[in-house]
Amino acid sequence: MGEMLNVEELFGSKVFTVEKMKERLPKTVFKEVKKVMECGGELTKESADVVAKAMKDWAIENGATHYTHWFQPLTGITAEKQDAFVTHPDEEGRMLMEFSGKELIKGETDASSFPSGGLRATFEARGYTVWDITSPVFLKEDATGVVLCIPTAFCSFTGEALDKKTPLLRSMEAVSTQALRILRLFGNTDAKRVIASVGPEQEYFIVDREKYLKRPDLIFAGRTLFGAPAPKGQEMDDHYFGAIRERIGSYMKDINIELWKLGVTAKTQHNEVAPAQHELAPIYETANIAVDHNQLIMEIMKKVAGRHGLTCLLHEKPFAGVNGSGKHDNWSLSTDTGMNLLDPGNTPNENIQFLLVLACIMKAVDTHADLLRQSAADVGNDHRLGADEAPPAIISIFLGDQLDDVVKQLVETGCADHSIQGEKLLTGVSTLTDIEKDATDRNRTSPFAFTGNKFEFRSVGSSDSIASPNTTLNAIVAEAFCEAADELEKADNLEMAIHDMIKRYMTEHQRIIFNGDGYSQGWVDEAARRGLPNIKSMIDASSALTTEKSVALFEKFGIYSRTELQSREEITYEIYSKSINIEALTMIDMVRKLYLPAVMSYTGELAKSIKALNEIGMDSSVQTKVLSNISAELAKANAALEALEAAVAKAKLIKNGKDKAYAFKDEVKVAMDNLRKPVDALETMVDNKAWPVPTYADLLFEV
Ligand code: ADP
Ligand code: MG
């Protein structure tokens, strides 16, 4: 306890940082690397060799034996294949550890077992991993030893993206190019790039590992498929921001240390709304690095939990009846010279550039609400979106009082002559400083909220990669900027044209603004009247990928080809069917092998005691009543079990991916819900000691 942590020294100690490159590379090579990092292009073969050697020397000094091209296939998690630095021994049998520029830059894998949505037949299984020079190389240390990890993009033999990073990088270039066109209209000539920045807030649950290991549903599905509610949930609001318990605190401390070593700026930690739920947020950074780092955060959270006898659950809905977990994706655009395009300043009504950017974002989100919804869709998130604890499945924008007022002025009169200002916060206590309030309050129910100088996309699921949401955001905003620039670059009177455009865009897309309660039925009805899409499930969202509108958008900026989009749509159906199938099989297994035997042996005991009581002429009416109630539920459970088995067998026979996914959603899932009900009822009826798995009370309140 209390040992000094030198965070400054720790930070980035396992990263081959720019600073380390500067120290270890010849000046000319370092300059070349910096140039490629900032402006794109390729390293010469000679320079790549020099960089690889410096990297390898540093890695070996730090205990590394292997390197890996670390990539992000469409499974949503990361993948790696490790190679040792070893080479052929020389004539004397000596072995030199080597690593060439070629090995650094390009890897080749037989990747036929990754989802490709039909993009690659297994006989053309070649996949390539290509170094993403803009995301830092790092060392991963675990039981395997120390491994040098090189963040890479993953493409097929024919150049199609098989991963989440490639389209993201493409989208970042698109939004940069198009945003620069807007900036140039305002006379900005010094910015060379516009950078999409992202700060994801990661929510998670922590449970005791021993108990976790007794729950097949947590092991196989990442969420509880059964479980009667505990007597207490989150209704007392006593967990949110509560004092962090010691066991969790020491876990959080270890996560922070591991993340800091990896150069991840773990910053904020707190207890979340549900019991056993917590959050970690890093400081925002360039989108592709933030995506890589979020993968590391999720990985480290899981790994470190084991050391503390804990298990980290990243599923969007591990427990029914209490809040699920999301990942608020904070997003903004700023220039390489440090100007945030989403910063309205104190008087947004006078900030024409900001208003144009805002108008373009309104247009983008309104035009592509379906795509944005799709980008946050995953199997677990179906339990959250629209379920009164997470943003609704309807995409809308929250602007807050100040901007909302400016937009209203512009739409109504064509000119905005004032901005509502934040007032002093009067606490009524003379010893408390009267602080300046924000001009705008928060709205927790909005899926896409303006929060000062960034948008917060709140629909993203906790277990999901944040690559797709940010790819989509960048792409749709790039398109709006592009269309605006096409028109404005031709305008005779630029000032007038900009003014007219802001008013026009805001008027045409005003329906996407909603500042009220997103959880209310009133909003569902209102959104329907406004014609906003309300896409309820993951697979209902999938077809948004391949509409003509979507293909035109993504092909225009070279982010996804039509084929890539089709394959991605196909993969969503595959992933969905497989996930629900696993859940269903787990339920069947648990009922057959755990719950039914437990209940049957309990009813057997009851029957015996009834018989014994009857034999000595004692009253057995209570026992008989309990037994008959339990037997009735048991029969229901057994019937529901058989119905679920039949539904799975039927869904499995379907060949077409989309039809199959719908069978899993409309039939298997329904049968799963029908099975859960009697089993949860049984849990409340039998002796605690007879119940074969830890309960919600055990899992949520005894960490
Ligand atoms: P809030 O409390 O409003 O959600 P925080 O300050 O806690 O905001 O930030 C939440 C996340 O947003 C953090 O990861 C933070 O680094 C990130 N963030 C802050 N400013 C920006 C910005 N301009 N662009 C992107 N992310 C940002
Ligand atoms: Mg937030």
Side-chain angles (χ1 to χ4, degrees), residues 313-549:
L313 304 175
L314 292 172
H315 194 283
E316 284 75 13
K317 192 75 179 177
F319 300 97
V322 295
N323 271 15
S325 301
K327 184 145 51 190
H328 294 176
D329 186 88
N330 294 271
W331 173 92
S332 68
L333 293 171
S334 49
T335 63
D336 54 339
T337 54
M339 187 225 312
N340 181 352
L341 275 64
L342 296 184
D343 190 350
N346 287 331
T347 47
N349 63 306
E350 292 165 3
N351 190 341
I352 304 300
Q353 181 185 302
F354 170 79
L355 291 175
L356 179 59
V357 168
L358 179 66
C360 286
I361 293 176
M362 284 172 61
K363 176 180 167 188
V365 174
D366 186 25
T367 309
H368 296 292
D370 57 341
L371 273 179
L372 213 47
R373 165 70 181 86
Q374 193 286 324
S375 76
D378 77 9
V379 186
N381 227 3
D382 274 5
H383 299 277
R384 279 180 75 235
L385 300 181
D388 277 16
E389 47 146 303
I394 307 159
I395 298 288
S396 66
I397 300 180
F398 170 77
L399 287 180
D401 297 338
Q402 190 189 50
L403 288 185
D404 195 46
D405 174 63
V406 172
V407 171
K408 278 210 181 90
Q409 291 179 55
L410 283 165
V411 170
E412 278 160 23
T413 68
C415 93
D417 58 12
H418 64 273
S419 293
I420 299 174
Q421 293 302 315
E423 294 155 12
K424 283 246 188 276
L425 179 73
L426 303 175
T427 59
V429 179
S430 63
T431 50
L432 290 178
T433 319
D434 288 335
I435 54 169
E436 207 64 53
K437 275 201 296 193
D438 292 297
T440 284
D441 199 4
R442 288 167 178 266
N443 178 327
R444 282 270 144 212
T445 68
S446 174
F448 199 73
F450 186 74
T451 43
N453 60 4
K454 58 180 158 75
F455 275 100
E456 185 169 342
F457 184 26
R458 301 213 183 95
S459 309
V460 186
S462 51
S463 71
D464 210 4
S465 158
I466 52 168
S468 301
N470 290 300
T471 303
T472 302
L473 261 173
N474 294 338
I476 64 176
V477 173
E479 183 189 58
F481 284 164
C482 176
E483 286 167 5
D486 286 346
E487 195 178 316
L488 295 173
E489 282 164 1
K490 283 187 244 146
D492 296 329
N493 183 338
L494 182 62
E495 209 175 307
M496 279 286 286
I498 292 176
H499 185 268
D500 288 351
M501 178 177 279
I502 293 173
K503 180 172 183 224
R504 172 157 45 97
Y505 279 10
M506 287 185 172
T507 309
E508 280 168 12
H509 301 286
Q510 204 182 7
R511 66 169 186 169
I512 197 71
I513 307 290
F514 180 64
N515 289 315
D517 177 6
Y519 296 170
S520 65
Q521 181 58 38
W523 170 230
V524 175
D525 303 337
E526 168 66 19
R529 274 194 295 279
R530 293 190 193 182
L532 298 176
N534 182 1
I535 304 172
K536 299 215 173 68
S537 93
M538 167 181 167
I539 54 172
D540 290 335
S542 302
S543 56
L545 286 170
T546 49
T547 59
E548 284 312 312
K549 167 173 80 79

Side-chain angles (χ1 to χ4, degrees), residues 53 87 625:
K53 178 165 184 311
T87 49
K625 192 162 173 221

Side-chain angles (χ1 to χ4, degrees), residues 17-267:
T17 53
V18 173
E19 189 192 3
K20 290 193 185 94
M21 286 198 251
K22 194 170 177 183
E23 264 168 39
R24 287 169 180 259
L25 294 175
K27 260 208 179 94
T28 48
V29 178
F30 176 70
K31 263 196 172 156
E32 200 183 324
V33 171
K34 279 283 278 185
K35 189 158 168 259
V36 176
M37 283 171 95
E38 281 159 19
C39 311
E42 278 174 38
L43 292 182
T44 60
K45 189 183 167 300
E46 293 69 36
S47 299
D49 280 333
V50 176
V51 177
K53 178 165 184 311
M55 217 179 248
K56 177 208 68 181
D57 290 345
W58 168 75
I60 289 177
E61 281 163 34
N62 285 281
T65 51
H66 288 67
Y67 70 92
T68 185
H69 276 197
W70 188 70
F71 61 104
Q72 301 175 24
L74 299 175
T75 51
I77 52 175
T78 63
E80 55 195 78
K81 183 184 83 173
Q82 305 181 349
D83 278 299
F85 290 117
V86 297
T87 49
H88 253 303
D90 65 12
E91 282 158 14
E92 277 130 62
R94 260 183 327 218
M95 201 272 302
L96 287 177
M97 306 276 269
E98 276 187 27
F99 183 50
S100 68
K102 200 171 142 236
E103 288 169 306
L104 164 63
I105 289 174
K106 195 184 95 177
E108 200 238 298
T109 40
D110 170 9
S112 50
S113 300
F114 290 109
S116 73
L119 260 190
R120 236 168 355 138
T122 31
F123 57 85
E124 351 175 273
R126 239 182 247 275
Y128 292 100
T129 49
V130 188
W131 182 28
D132 171 11
I133 194 170
T134 57
S135 182
V137 164
F138 59 92
L139 295 174
K140 195 147 94 175
E141 196 169 2
D142 56 28
T144 356
V146 181
V147 181
L148 175 72
C149 296
I150 302 155
T152 55
F154 179 45
C155 299
S156 77
F157 188 71
T158 43
E160 280 126 352
L162 297 172
D163 68 345
K164 304 220 170 202
K165 185 190 270 277
T166 310
L168 175 70
L169 292 171
R170 293 170 179 166
S171 76
M172 289 167 66
E173 287 192 12
V175 79
S176 175
T177 308
Q178 302 306 326
L180 281 178
R181 291 177 66 194
I182 298 290
L183 292 177
R184 300 285 184 253
L185 292 170
F186 288 89
N188 182 325
T189 49
D190 54 346
K192 289 195 193 65
R193 278 183 308 150
V194 171
I195 302 144
S197 300
V198 171
E201 304 165 54
Q202 178 72 49
E203 292 182 336
Y204 60 99
F205 277 83
I206 285 296
V207 295
D208 182 87
R209 185 154 182 82
E210 293 285 320
K211 290 175 192 150
Y212 163 86
L213 290 173
K214 294 191 180 119
R215 297 271 325 203
D217 47 0
L218 287 180
I219 294 174
F220 296 121
R223 73 176 180 107
T224 53
L225 297 165
F226 298 99
K232 181 182 172 195
Q234 61 194 37
E235 61 275 58
M236 301 299 285
D237 295 326
D238 51 354
H239 192 256
Y240 191 51
F241 286 7
I244 297 169
R245 275 162 301 166
E246 240 180 69
R247 189 173 182 198
I248 305 297
S250 98
Y251 163 67
M252 287 177 167
K253 178 179 160 195
D254 269 5
I255 298 184
N256 288 334
I257 293 174
E258 292 304 326
L259 289 175
W260 290 335
K261 285 193 219 166
L262 290 167
V264 181
T265 49
K267 165 103 176 150

Side-chain angles (χ1 to χ4, degrees), residues 629-650:
N629 288 344
I630 293 180
S631 298
E633 280 310 320
L634 185 63
K636 279 193 217 160
N638 194 54
L641 174 66
E642 284 167 11
L644 177 58
E645 283 177 318
V648 173
K650 195 172 142 213

